């Protein structure tokens, strides 16, 4: 998907209820988000934001040491990233206050997981629509939006399966992705028996992204575990 890069954004999730933190984290992770940071108070959130550089904040209104409204104002003083309020307070005055302070959306608990995901992705698409993610590897670039690899000024198309596999690897860039997880990413909920097919696809991907496919430096094998995509950092 051309929006896969949005799932690498850092998300700051703030709520004083551990059950809510666990539930929202699970919803986001199940949809492919990985960089989720949680806090239970205004003070914790401010300290955590300094370390993780959030690109989206999901905030409760009622916190033990202040309000989510005050927290959003403090967070936006250092970096103006989007914010979504997720709260039990559904009064119109609260909604108007949130939007008046610059919130991008306001959801009232309880909520449907699919609605949360829809709203999070809508905010991220609006906020980062100017980005065109070219993933830089050692000897090539991956353009997920166009489903192609750029190597030596040549544009090499990716098949759907290659795109799915590279998307799963990129979501976990620098981390090991198991063989089972890659098979599931490419072949769905019944991934068993596709190990040989996976190896064939990995070989073809390496032919496209590597300068010397027999000595890969970008898509490396972690023996007995799986594979890892090594992305160059600017």
């Amino acid at each position: 998907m051309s929006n896969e890069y949005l799932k690498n954004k850092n998300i700051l999730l703030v709520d004083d209820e551990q059950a809510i933190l666990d539930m929202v984290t699970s919803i986001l992770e199940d949809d492919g988000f990985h960089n989720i940071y949680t806090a239970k108070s205004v003070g914790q959130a401010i300290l955590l934001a300094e370390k993780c550089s959030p690109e989206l904040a999901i905030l409760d209104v009622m916190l033990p040491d202040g309000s989510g409204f005050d927290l959003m104002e403090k967070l936006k003083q250092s970096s103006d990233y989007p914010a979504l309020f997720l709260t039990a307070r559904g009064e119109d005055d609260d909604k108007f206050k949130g939007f008046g302070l610059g919130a991008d959306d306001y959801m009232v608990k309880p909520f449907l997981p699919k609605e949360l995901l829809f709203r999070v992705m809508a905010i991220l698409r609006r906020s980062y629509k100017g980005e065109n993610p070219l993933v830089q590897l050692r000897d090539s670039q991956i353009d997920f939006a166009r489903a192609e690899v750029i190597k030596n000024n040549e544009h090499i198309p990716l098949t759907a399966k290659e795109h799915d596999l590279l998307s799963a690897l990129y979501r976990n860039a620098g981390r090991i992705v198991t063989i089972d997880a890659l098979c599931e990413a490419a072949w769905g909920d019944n991934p068993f028996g596709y190990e040989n097919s996976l190896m064939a696809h990995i070989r073809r991907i390496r032919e496209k992204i590597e300068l010397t496919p027999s000595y890969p430096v970008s898509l490396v094998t972690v023996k007995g575990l799986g594979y890892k995509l090594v992305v160059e950092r600017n």
Side-chain angles (χ1 to χ4, degrees), residues 7-233:
K7 295 182 180 180
N8 285 316
K9 297 297 182 184
N10 292 338
I11 297 178
L12 175 63
L13 173 60
V14 186
D15 199 295
D16 61 341
E17 294 185 43
Q18 187 63 47
I20 296 294
L21 293 177
D22 292 342
M23 179 175 64
V24 175
T25 298
S26 178
I27 292 169
L28 293 171
E29 287 182 342
D30 287 348
D31 197 56
F33 290 91
H34 292 282
N35 304 320
I36 304 165
Y37 303 86
T38 62
K40 289 186 174 182
S41 67
V42 171
Q44 287 181 5
I46 291 172
L47 291 175
L48 187 58
E50 293 175 356
K51 297 178 181 179
C52 73
S53 300
E55 292 159 289
L56 169 66
I58 301 177
L59 310 174
D60 190 9
V61 170
M62 297 179 289
L63 296 168
D65 57 344
S67 77
F69 299 132
D70 294 334
L71 172 58
M72 187 181 74
E73 288 187 296
K74 292 176 181 177
L75 292 174
K76 283 180 174 286
Q77 288 174 3
S78 58
S79 182
D80 189 18
Y81 45 86
L84 162 68
F85 280 108
L86 184 62
T87 176
R89 296 181 60 134
E91 292 82 0
D92 287 343
D93 287 346
D94 287 321
K95 292 181 181 179
F96 294 149
K97 184 173 183 179
F99 284 121
L101 290 171
D104 293 79
D105 208 340
Y106 195 109
M107 287 186 67
V108 178
K109 304 172 187 173
F111 58 90
L112 295 174
K114 286 187 177 180
E115 182 183 5
L116 174 64
L117 291 170
F118 175 83
R119 295 197 186 203
V120 165
M121 286 302 296
I123 291 171
L124 292 174
R125 281 195 296 267
R126 288 197 304 268
S127 301
Y128 300 102
K129 62 184 177 182
E131 295 185 4
N132 180 23
L134 284 177
V135 178
Q136 183 66 53
L137 306 179
R138 176 79 65 85
D139 300 304
S140 62
Q141 295 175 314
I142 305 170
D143 187 337
F144 282 106
R146 292 180 172 82
E148 63 184 20
V149 170
I150 305 167
K151 184 172 68 174
N152 295 330
N153 295 320
E154 180 184 0
H155 292 252
I156 308 166
L158 293 167
T159 67
K161 287 286 188 290
E162 291 167 354
H163 189 278
D164 289 343
L165 290 168
L166 280 171
S167 294
L169 287 159
Y170 177 56
R171 286 198 300 271
N172 298 277
R175 298 191 292 263
I176 299 168
V177 184
T178 66
I179 291 171
D180 287 347
L182 286 171
C183 288
E184 185 174 348
W187 289 282
D189 295 334
N190 187 21
F192 302 105
Y194 287 101
E195 289 84 355
N196 290 336
S197 294
L198 173 64
M199 291 174 62
H201 281 85
I202 292 293
R203 185 173 62 252
R204 286 193 288 271
I205 289 172
R206 282 175 170 161
E207 290 171 353
K208 295 180 179 182
I209 69 174
E210 303 281 4
L211 195 60
T212 309
S214 56
Y215 296 96
V217 294
S218 295
L219 178 48
V220 298
T221 301
V222 183
K223 192 172 181 180
L225 295 174
Y227 298 91
K228 180 169 62 174
L229 187 69
V230 180
V231 173
E232 298 290 306
R233 303 295 181 184

